[in-house]
Amino acid sequence: MVPHLVTALTGPLLDLEKKILEATPAIERWFRLEWQEHTPPFYCSVDLRNAGYKLAPVDTNLFPGGFNNLATEMLPLAVQAAMAAIDKYCPDARNLLLIPESHTRNPYYWQNVQRLMQIFRQTGLHVRLGSLSPDVTQPTPLALPDGNMLVVEPLVRSSNGRRVGLADFDPCTILLNNDLSAGIPSILENIHEQSLLPPLHAGWAIRRKSNHFKAFDEVAKKFGKLIDIDPWLVNPLHAKCGEIDFQEDVGMECLADSVSALLSKIKKKYREYGMKDQKPFVIVKPDAGTYGMGIMTVKDASEVKDLNRKQRNKMSVIKDGVQVTDVMIQEGVPTFESIDDKVAEPVVYMIDRYVVGGFYRVHAERGIDQNLNAPGSQYVPLAFAQQHAVPDLKAKPGTAAPNRFYVYGVVARLGLLAASLELERTDPNPEVY
């Protein structure tokens, strides 16, 4: 299950791996105490970048859609974690309504939905699919590549207006696997008698990446203090620019200035670590939104001012035709992981506070400084927690895959913790916490 990895096994990452492994008891205790204070998101996936000199999350997804890419050996772990999560919200739950993405014909996405249903059925729940799409007016079958069939059904609001379900199905818990990029549908508003997971403000209608990484700054500082490292080794520098209109060429000065300032900060860090040959770059991405849309790699501020029409069009609109008005500028973390000479990055999946697996996102046509979440990417599953994948403290740093996976899991959980702080702070009804 462990793919052959080619990684830069020199420099600070070895030191970071060593420090994390030596501090395992302190780290696990610290997480345990943090989870007494904060509620983890119901589920979450974190995209990591291993640059050899740092290991940092570059994206945290609160509606993960790749459960089909996890190794089947990890399923028992996912079922246990799902049980723990459901117990928190509805201990006597019998019915779970899963609301998937509406306008996708992608068979891989539906395999992800099938895998989620399988996990929750194993926890002892009846699981059915409810669609937000106005086109679904009756139970609609969807054929999967493996010959199986899923059925999506129209959502129905109860007669008292306080619950959502299907015509003959009243769930205790509603699980969203739809990131609400197109906005919050009225049928999901003001639900008072059911657990809606994740909450509506986790969707892209409200959520902003800049809020997440602001929370991550705090988490990284605490973690750095805990194990005595520079927080930068696990944290990408970032900035935000608002009031942008790529089509009309509005806000480009602000964007170019922010890019320039961030590149200078990265250069300073490279000098501090004696990295003379490393060329800094930044990633410009929408402050809201997913699917790897509207993302560009920038190595010089002038590139932002000189965008051609095609580049402007690509940057101006994301999923569901949503217009981009705010962007985040993030320190570019190159990936030095590769599988079969193809560039790769690890993605870690969690349910509740537990790591339940992950995979490498691999792209044959992308460079080490580019976004890999793009058409043409492939997935290599990782078994994070098989019996033989317990960290080996005697192994030399950089030589044991289980140690590497444990370290991935630690940094991904920092992203999970940041997401829980972010959700607390952006909650329109904070008294729930």
Side-chain angles (χ1 to χ4, degrees):
M1 275 318 300
V2 179
H4 180 63
L5 296 178
V6 183
T7 311
L9 293 176
T10 55
L13 190 66
L14 290 191
D15 192 38
L16 177 65
E17 186 176 296
K18 190 164 173 273
K19 283 202 159 160
I20 288 177
L21 289 167
E22 284 171 354
T24 296
I27 291 169
E28 295 304 331
R29 179 174 182 270
W30 176 70
F31 272 126
R32 214 165 52 241
L33 296 175
E34 289 290 337
W35 296 130
Q36 286 172 17
E37 298 292 320
H38 307 288
T39 306
F42 187 81
Y43 54 9
C44 173
S45 69
V46 175
D47 296 4
L48 298 173
R49 285 285 188 130
N50 173 2
Y53 57 86
K54 78 186 283 179
L55 175 66
V58 291
D59 208 9
T60 298
N61 186 356
L62 298 180
F63 300 88
F67 278 92
N68 53 311
N69 297 319
L70 303 187
T72 46
E73 294 92 323
M74 303 306 291
L75 277 181
L77 205 61
V79 171
Q80 277 183 314
M83 278 180 177
I86 290 285
D87 274 351
K88 267 186 203 166
Y89 296 99
C90 193
D92 57 351
R94 181 177 295 141
N95 295 337
L96 176 85
L97 178 65
L98 180 56
I99 299 181
E101 290 288 345
S102 302
H103 299 291
T104 179
R105 290 266 166 256
N106 181 345
Y108 299 110
Y109 173 74
W110 290 106
Q111 285 174 326
N112 151 73
V113 170
Q114 182 186 29
R115 174 63 65 84
L116 272 172
M117 293 177 78
Q118 184 186 0
I119 289 167
F120 287 104
R121 280 183 178 140
Q122 289 289 312
T123 69
L125 292 168
H126 296 289
V127 188
R128 283 167 67 177
L129 299 176
S131 176
L132 288 167
S133 170
D135 304 334
V136 176
T137 54
Q138 59 190 36
T140 306
L142 286 168
L144 295 177
D146 62 4
N148 280 314
M149 190 75 77
L150 294 178
V151 176
V152 288
E153 304 177 60
L155 293 177
V156 176
R157 197 86 187 215
S158 65
S159 52
N160 70 4
R162 297 171 68 84
R163 298 175 75 86
V164 167
L166 306 174
D168 58 347
F169 189 72
D170 183 24
C172 152
T173 308
I174 300 165
L175 181 63
L176 285 172
N177 197 243
N178 179 315
D179 62 24
L180 307 181
S181 290
I184 295 175
S186 55
I187 195 163
L188 294 182
E189 289 180 319
N190 303 313
I191 294 173
H192 301 295
E193 296 177 359
Q194 292 158 299
S195 296
L196 184 63
L197 304 167
L200 292 178
H201 67 281
W204 288 121
I206 295 173
R207 187 178 182 226
R208 296 294 175 266
K209 292 170 191 169
S210 50
N211 288 335
H212 175 76
F213 280 96
K214 215 179 283 174
F216 192 84
D217 288 343
E218 290 172 45
V219 171
K221 268 189 196 130
K222 273 187 171 181
F223 183 71
K225 206 169 167 188
L226 177 76
I227 69 166
D228 189 28
I229 59 160
D230 176 353
W232 177 73
L233 294 176
V234 293
N235 190 10
L237 300 168
H238 55 93
K240 180 189 168 175
C241 237
E243 298 179 26
I244 298 266
D245 186 330
F246 284 101
Q247 297 278 23
E248 300 299 324
D249 206 13
V250 173
M252 294 300 123
E253 283 296 326
C254 159
L255 183 53
D257 291 347
S258 297
V259 166
S260 186
L262 199 59
L263 285 168
S264 298
K265 280 186 189 171
I266 301 167
K267 267 187 196 136
K268 197 175 161 195
K269 272 293 179 192
Y270 285 178
R271 277 200 302 274
E272 186 186 324
Y273 281 88
M275 293 157 51
K276 296 185 183 73
D277 303 331
Q278 195 70 35
K279 294 272 182 287
F281 67 98
V282 297
I283 301 290
V284 176
K285 54 170 86 169
D287 201 15
T290 182
Y291 279 28
M293 296 174 83
I295 294 177
M296 64 193 240
T297 300
V298 179
K299 295 175 183 174
D300 189 276
S302 62
E303 295 170 38
V304 174
K305 294 177 179 171
D306 302 335
L307 293 178
N308 61 36
R309 173 58 56 195
K310 188 179 172 191
Q311 289 167 316
R312 286 182 197 288
N313 289 343
K314 183 184 155 223
M315 292 300 292
S316 64
V317 176
I318 51 169
K319 186 183 165 208
D320 291 337
V322 175
Q323 204 74 26
V324 174
T325 54
D326 301 85
V327 296
M328 195 172 90
I329 305 108
Q330 192 176 57
E331 172 189 349
V333 183
T335 177
F336 280 98
E337 301 278 34
S338 67
I339 295 174
D340 299 333
D341 296 329
K342 296 172 194 162
V343 176
E345 66 185 9
V347 183
V348 179
Y349 270 57
M350 289 155 285
I351 295 178
D352 198 60
R353 59 198 174 104
Y354 306 100
V355 173
V356 297
F359 50 81
Y360 274 103
R361 185 184 283 124
V362 184
H363 207 300
E365 285 147 37
R366 293 278 165 131
I368 61 169
D369 58 356
Q370 289 178 299
N371 163 45
L372 304 188
N373 186 6
S377 55
Q378 299 165 300
Y379 304 94
V380 178
L382 285 176
F384 270 73
Q386 291 170 333
Q387 281 76 5
H388 63 264
V390 172
D392 177 2
L393 298 179
K394 294 192 184 80
K396 278 170 71 178
T399 60
N403 291 357
R404 173 68 40 89
F405 299 159
Y406 174 73
V407 171
Y408 287 164
V410 168
V411 178
R413 283 182 288 160
L414 297 178
L416 183 73
L417 181 54
S420 70
L421 298 179
E422 169 201 359
L423 289 178
E424 282 171 27
R425 288 165 191 178
T426 54
D427 189 349
N429 306 303
E431 69 279 2
V432 173
Y433 280 93

